[in-house]
mmCIF file with all atom_site columns, all heavy atoms in Angstrom:
data_model
loop_
_atom_site.group_PDB
_atom_site.id
_atom_site.type_symbol
_atom_site.label_atom_id
_atom_site.label_alt_id
_atom_site.label_comp_id
_atom_site.label_asym_id
_atom_site.label_entity_id
_atom_site.label_seq_id
_atom_site.pdbx_PDB_ins_code
_atom_site.Cartn_x
_atom_site.Cartn_y
_atom_site.Cartn_z
_atom_site.occupancy
_atom_site.B_iso_or_equiv
_atom_site.pdbx_formal_charge
_atom_site.auth_seq_id
_atom_site.auth_comp_id
_atom_site.auth_asym_id
_atom_site.auth_atom_id
_atom_site.pdbx_PDB_model_num
ATOM 1   N N   . LEU A 1 22  ? 59.530 34.556 -17.537 1.00 74.00 ? 31  LEU A N   1
ATOM 2   C CA  . LEU A 1 22  ? 60.308 35.794 -17.608 1.00 74.00 ? 31  LEU A CA  1
ATOM 3   C C   . LEU A 1 22  ? 61.710 35.392 -17.990 1.00 74.00 ? 31  LEU A C   1
ATOM 4   O O   . LEU A 1 22  ? 62.264 34.464 -17.450 1.00 74.00 ? 31  LEU A O   1
ATOM 5   C CB  . LEU A 1 22  ? 60.257 36.416 -16.218 1.00 74.00 ? 31  LEU A CB  1
ATOM 6   C CG  . LEU A 1 22  ? 60.853 37.833 -16.058 1.00 74.00 ? 31  LEU A CG  1
ATOM 7   C CD1 . LEU A 1 22  ? 59.893 38.830 -16.584 1.00 74.00 ? 31  LEU A CD1 1
ATOM 8   C CD2 . LEU A 1 22  ? 61.112 38.060 -14.580 1.00 74.00 ? 31  LEU A CD2 1
ATOM 9   N N   . HIS A 1 78  ? 69.278 39.729 8.148   1.00 91.00 ? 87  HIS A N   1
ATOM 10  C CA  . HIS A 1 78  ? 68.546 38.494 8.533   1.00 91.00 ? 87  HIS A CA  1
ATOM 11  C C   . HIS A 1 78  ? 67.302 38.901 9.265   1.00 91.00 ? 87  HIS A C   1
ATOM 12  O O   . HIS A 1 78  ? 67.328 39.727 10.144  1.00 91.00 ? 87  HIS A O   1
ATOM 13  C CB  . HIS A 1 78  ? 69.413 37.611 9.408   1.00 91.00 ? 87  HIS A CB  1
ATOM 14  C CG  . HIS A 1 78  ? 70.567 36.932 8.669   1.00 91.00 ? 87  HIS A CG  1
ATOM 15  N ND1 . HIS A 1 78  ? 70.354 36.213 7.527   1.00 91.00 ? 87  HIS A ND1 1
ATOM 16  C CD2 . HIS A 1 78  ? 71.875 36.962 8.825   1.00 91.00 ? 87  HIS A CD2 1
ATOM 17  C CE1 . HIS A 1 78  ? 71.481 35.783 7.086   1.00 91.00 ? 87  HIS A CE1 1
ATOM 18  N NE2 . HIS A 1 78  ? 72.453 36.253 7.833   1.00 91.00 ? 87  HIS A NE2 1
ATOM 19  N N   . VAL A 1 79  ? 66.236 38.284 8.884   1.00 91.00 ? 88  VAL A N   1
ATOM 20  C CA  . VAL A 1 79  ? 64.982 38.535 9.497   1.00 91.00 ? 88  VAL A CA  1
ATOM 21  C C   . VAL A 1 79  ? 64.713 37.393 10.507  1.00 91.00 ? 88  VAL A C   1
ATOM 22  O O   . VAL A 1 79  ? 64.565 36.219 10.096  1.00 91.00 ? 88  VAL A O   1
ATOM 23  C CB  . VAL A 1 79  ? 63.818 38.571 8.486   1.00 91.00 ? 88  VAL A CB  1
ATOM 24  C CG1 . VAL A 1 79  ? 62.535 38.983 9.178   1.00 91.00 ? 88  VAL A CG1 1
ATOM 25  C CG2 . VAL A 1 79  ? 64.149 39.563 7.372   1.00 91.00 ? 88  VAL A CG2 1
ATOM 26  N N   . GLY A 1 725 ? 50.408 21.252 15.389  1.00 72.00 ? 734 GLY A N   1
ATOM 27  C CA  . GLY A 1 725 ? 50.940 20.146 16.141  1.00 72.00 ? 734 GLY A CA  1
ATOM 28  C C   . GLY A 1 725 ? 50.618 20.240 17.640  1.00 72.00 ? 734 GLY A C   1
ATOM 29  O O   . GLY A 1 725 ? 50.948 19.354 18.397  1.00 72.00 ? 734 GLY A O   1
ATOM 30  N N   . ARG A 1 779 ? 49.773 17.983 6.050   1.00 89.00 ? 788 ARG A N   1
ATOM 31  C CA  . ARG A 1 779 ? 50.149 18.846 4.925   1.00 89.00 ? 788 ARG A CA  1
ATOM 32  C C   . ARG A 1 779 ? 49.204 19.996 4.842   1.00 89.00 ? 788 ARG A C   1
ATOM 33  O O   . ARG A 1 779 ? 48.086 19.946 5.348   1.00 89.00 ? 788 ARG A O   1
ATOM 34  C CB  . ARG A 1 779 ? 50.024 18.029 3.589   1.00 89.00 ? 788 ARG A CB  1
ATOM 35  C CG  . ARG A 1 779 ? 51.046 16.963 3.473   1.00 89.00 ? 788 ARG A CG  1
ATOM 36  C CD  . ARG A 1 779 ? 50.817 16.220 2.161   1.00 89.00 ? 788 ARG A CD  1
ATOM 37  N NE  . ARG A 1 779 ? 51.419 16.928 1.036   1.00 89.00 ? 788 ARG A NE  1
ATOM 38  C CZ  . ARG A 1 779 ? 51.521 16.400 -0.147  1.00 89.00 ? 788 ARG A CZ  1
ATOM 39  N NH1 . ARG A 1 779 ? 51.076 15.197 -0.400  1.00 89.00 ? 788 ARG A NH1 1
ATOM 40  N NH2 . ARG A 1 779 ? 52.093 17.038 -1.149  1.00 89.00 ? 788 ARG A NH2 1
ATOM 41  N N   . SER A 1 832 ? 53.585 26.811 3.446   1.00 90.00 ? 841 SER A N   1
ATOM 42  C CA  . SER A 1 832 ? 52.828 27.694 4.298   1.00 90.00 ? 841 SER A CA  1
ATOM 43  C C   . SER A 1 832 ? 52.549 28.959 3.527   1.00 90.00 ? 841 SER A C   1
ATOM 44  O O   . SER A 1 832 ? 53.295 29.316 2.618   1.00 90.00 ? 841 SER A O   1
ATOM 45  C CB  . SER A 1 832 ? 53.592 28.045 5.596   1.00 90.00 ? 841 SER A CB  1
ATOM 46  O OG  . SER A 1 832 ? 53.909 26.898 6.300   1.00 90.00 ? 841 SER A OG  1
ATOM 47  N N   . GLU A 1 906 ? 61.037 40.041 1.803   1.00 90.00 ? 915 GLU A N   1
ATOM 48  C CA  . GLU A 1 906 ? 61.203 39.659 3.227   1.00 90.00 ? 915 GLU A CA  1
ATOM 49  C C   . GLU A 1 906 ? 60.011 40.148 4.069   1.00 90.00 ? 915 GLU A C   1
ATOM 50  O O   . GLU A 1 906 ? 59.543 41.257 3.893   1.00 90.00 ? 915 GLU A O   1
ATOM 51  C CB  . GLU A 1 906 ? 62.491 40.193 3.797   1.00 90.00 ? 915 GLU A CB  1
ATOM 52  C CG  . GLU A 1 906 ? 63.747 39.541 3.277   1.00 90.00 ? 915 GLU A CG  1
ATOM 53  C CD  . GLU A 1 906 ? 64.031 38.170 3.936   1.00 90.00 ? 915 GLU A CD  1
ATOM 54  O OE1 . GLU A 1 906 ? 63.220 37.738 4.754   1.00 90.00 ? 915 GLU A OE1 1
ATOM 55  O OE2 . GLU A 1 906 ? 65.083 37.586 3.612   1.00 90.00 ? 915 GLU A OE2 1
ATOM 56  N N   . SER B 2 51  ? 74.037 31.177 3.817   1.00 75.00 ? 73  SER B N   1
ATOM 57  C CA  . SER B 2 51  ? 73.740 32.165 4.867   1.00 75.00 ? 73  SER B CA  1
ATOM 58  C C   . SER B 2 51  ? 72.326 32.671 4.780   1.00 75.00 ? 73  SER B C   1
ATOM 59  O O   . SER B 2 51  ? 71.816 33.244 5.697   1.00 75.00 ? 73  SER B O   1
ATOM 60  C CB  . SER B 2 51  ? 74.732 33.310 4.791   1.00 75.00 ? 73  SER B CB  1
ATOM 61  O OG  . SER B 2 51  ? 74.513 34.042 3.620   1.00 75.00 ? 73  SER B OG  1
ATOM 62  N N   . LYS B 2 54  ? 66.731 29.734 5.407   1.00 89.00 ? 76  LYS B N   1
ATOM 63  C CA  . LYS B 2 54  ? 65.998 29.838 6.652   1.00 89.00 ? 76  LYS B CA  1
ATOM 64  C C   . LYS B 2 54  ? 65.320 28.454 6.892   1.00 89.00 ? 76  LYS B C   1
ATOM 65  O O   . LYS B 2 54  ? 64.877 27.836 5.954   1.00 89.00 ? 76  LYS B O   1
ATOM 66  C CB  . LYS B 2 54  ? 64.850 30.830 6.495   1.00 89.00 ? 76  LYS B CB  1
ATOM 67  C CG  . LYS B 2 54  ? 65.239 32.254 6.705   1.00 89.00 ? 76  LYS B CG  1
ATOM 68  C CD  . LYS B 2 54  ? 63.963 33.074 6.801   1.00 89.00 ? 76  LYS B CD  1
ATOM 69  C CE  . LYS B 2 54  ? 64.109 34.325 6.003   1.00 89.00 ? 76  LYS B CE  1
ATOM 70  N NZ  . LYS B 2 54  ? 62.904 35.102 5.997   1.00 89.00 ? 76  LYS B NZ  1
ATOM 71  N N   . TYR B 2 65  ? 68.572 29.878 11.357  1.00 90.00 ? 87  TYR B N   1
ATOM 72  C CA  . TYR B 2 65  ? 69.491 29.849 10.221  1.00 90.00 ? 87  TYR B CA  1
ATOM 73  C C   . TYR B 2 65  ? 70.460 28.734 10.347  1.00 90.00 ? 87  TYR B C   1
ATOM 74  O O   . TYR B 2 65  ? 70.528 28.045 11.382  1.00 90.00 ? 87  TYR B O   1
ATOM 75  C CB  . TYR B 2 65  ? 70.198 31.198 10.180  1.00 90.00 ? 87  TYR B CB  1
ATOM 76  C CG  . TYR B 2 65  ? 69.328 32.310 9.739   1.00 90.00 ? 87  TYR B CG  1
ATOM 77  C CD1 . TYR B 2 65  ? 68.476 32.969 10.621  1.00 90.00 ? 87  TYR B CD1 1
ATOM 78  C CD2 . TYR B 2 65  ? 69.282 32.705 8.393   1.00 90.00 ? 87  TYR B CD2 1
ATOM 79  C CE1 . TYR B 2 65  ? 67.658 34.007 10.218  1.00 90.00 ? 87  TYR B CE1 1
ATOM 80  C CE2 . TYR B 2 65  ? 68.434 33.736 7.990   1.00 90.00 ? 87  TYR B CE2 1
ATOM 81  C CZ  . TYR B 2 65  ? 67.647 34.369 8.879   1.00 90.00 ? 87  TYR B CZ  1
ATOM 82  O OH  . TYR B 2 65  ? 66.808 35.371 8.474   1.00 90.00 ? 87  TYR B OH  1
ATOM 83  N N   . THR B 2 81  ? 53.516 16.792 17.046  1.00 86.00 ? 103 THR B N   1
ATOM 84  C CA  . THR B 2 81  ? 53.937 16.653 15.622  1.00 86.00 ? 103 THR B CA  1
ATOM 85  C C   . THR B 2 81  ? 54.188 18.045 15.062  1.00 86.00 ? 103 THR B C   1
ATOM 86  O O   . THR B 2 81  ? 53.381 18.925 15.229  1.00 86.00 ? 103 THR B O   1
ATOM 87  C CB  . THR B 2 81  ? 52.841 15.960 14.824  1.00 86.00 ? 103 THR B CB  1
ATOM 88  O OG1 . THR B 2 81  ? 52.445 14.785 15.559  1.00 86.00 ? 103 THR B OG1 1
ATOM 89  C CG2 . THR B 2 81  ? 53.307 15.570 13.491  1.00 86.00 ? 103 THR B CG2 1
ATOM 90  N N   . GLU B 2 85  ? 59.972 23.592 7.538   1.00 91.00 ? 107 GLU B N   1
ATOM 91  C CA  . GLU B 2 85  ? 60.117 23.960 6.148   1.00 91.00 ? 107 GLU B CA  1
ATOM 92  C C   . GLU B 2 85  ? 61.421 24.642 5.943   1.00 91.00 ? 107 GLU B C   1
ATOM 93  O O   . GLU B 2 85  ? 61.912 25.343 6.845   1.00 91.00 ? 107 GLU B O   1
ATOM 94  C CB  . GLU B 2 85  ? 58.959 24.970 5.749   1.00 91.00 ? 107 GLU B CB  1
ATOM 95  C CG  . GLU B 2 85  ? 57.644 24.307 5.647   1.00 91.00 ? 107 GLU B CG  1
ATOM 96  C CD  . GLU B 2 85  ? 56.472 25.320 5.531   1.00 91.00 ? 107 GLU B CD  1
ATOM 97  O OE1 . GLU B 2 85  ? 56.081 25.755 6.605   1.00 91.00 ? 107 GLU B OE1 1
ATOM 98  O OE2 . GLU B 2 85  ? 56.085 25.601 4.449   1.00 91.00 ? 107 GLU B OE2 1
ATOM 99  N N   . ALA B 2 87  ? 63.343 27.385 3.555   1.00 89.00 ? 109 ALA B N   1
ATOM 100 C CA  . ALA B 2 87  ? 63.191 28.378 2.556   1.00 89.00 ? 109 ALA B CA  1
ATOM 101 C C   . ALA B 2 87  ? 64.547 28.753 1.990   1.00 89.00 ? 109 ALA B C   1
ATOM 102 O O   . ALA B 2 87  ? 65.381 29.344 2.682   1.00 89.00 ? 109 ALA B O   1
ATOM 103 C CB  . ALA B 2 87  ? 62.484 29.621 3.114   1.00 89.00 ? 109 ALA B CB  1
ATOM 104 N N   . GLU B 2 114 ? 55.866 15.693 1.050   1.00 81.00 ? 136 GLU B N   1
ATOM 105 C CA  . GLU B 2 114 ? 55.561 15.695 -0.374  1.00 81.00 ? 136 GLU B CA  1
ATOM 106 C C   . GLU B 2 114 ? 55.421 14.274 -0.966  1.00 81.00 ? 136 GLU B C   1
ATOM 107 O O   . GLU B 2 114 ? 54.551 14.016 -1.728  1.00 81.00 ? 136 GLU B O   1
ATOM 108 C CB  . GLU B 2 114 ? 56.663 16.458 -1.161  1.00 81.00 ? 136 GLU B CB  1
ATOM 109 C CG  . GLU B 2 114 ? 56.536 17.924 -1.121  1.00 81.00 ? 136 GLU B CG  1
ATOM 110 C CD  . GLU B 2 114 ? 55.340 18.450 -1.900  1.00 81.00 ? 136 GLU B CD  1
ATOM 111 O OE1 . GLU B 2 114 ? 55.341 18.461 -3.124  1.00 81.00 ? 136 GLU B OE1 1
ATOM 112 O OE2 . GLU B 2 114 ? 54.359 18.829 -1.219  1.00 81.00 ? 136 GLU B OE2 1
ATOM 113 N N   . GLU B 2 134 ? 63.054 31.791 -17.784 1.00 80.00 ? 156 GLU B N   1
ATOM 114 C CA  . GLU B 2 134 ? 63.061 31.026 -19.041 1.00 80.00 ? 156 GLU B CA  1
ATOM 115 C C   . GLU B 2 134 ? 64.481 31.162 -19.617 1.00 80.00 ? 156 GLU B C   1
ATOM 116 O O   . GLU B 2 134 ? 65.146 32.176 -19.477 1.00 80.00 ? 156 GLU B O   1
ATOM 117 C CB  . GLU B 2 134 ? 62.100 31.691 -20.002 1.00 80.00 ? 156 GLU B CB  1
ATOM 118 C CG  . GLU B 2 134 ? 60.663 31.560 -19.632 1.00 80.00 ? 156 GLU B CG  1
ATOM 119 C CD  . GLU B 2 134 ? 60.160 30.185 -19.945 1.00 80.00 ? 156 GLU B CD  1
ATOM 120 O OE1 . GLU B 2 134 ? 60.227 29.793 -21.127 1.00 80.00 ? 156 GLU B OE1 1
ATOM 121 O OE2 . GLU B 2 134 ? 59.681 29.491 -19.051 1.00 80.00 ? 156 GLU B OE2 1
#
Side-chain angles (χ1 to χ4, degrees):
Chain A
L31 187 78
H87 290 305
V88 185
R788 290 178 83 169
S841 301
E915 287 282 2
Chain B
S73 70
K76 280 190 221 175
Y87 287 83
T103 310
E107 286 168 278
E136 280 294 284
E156 291 282 303

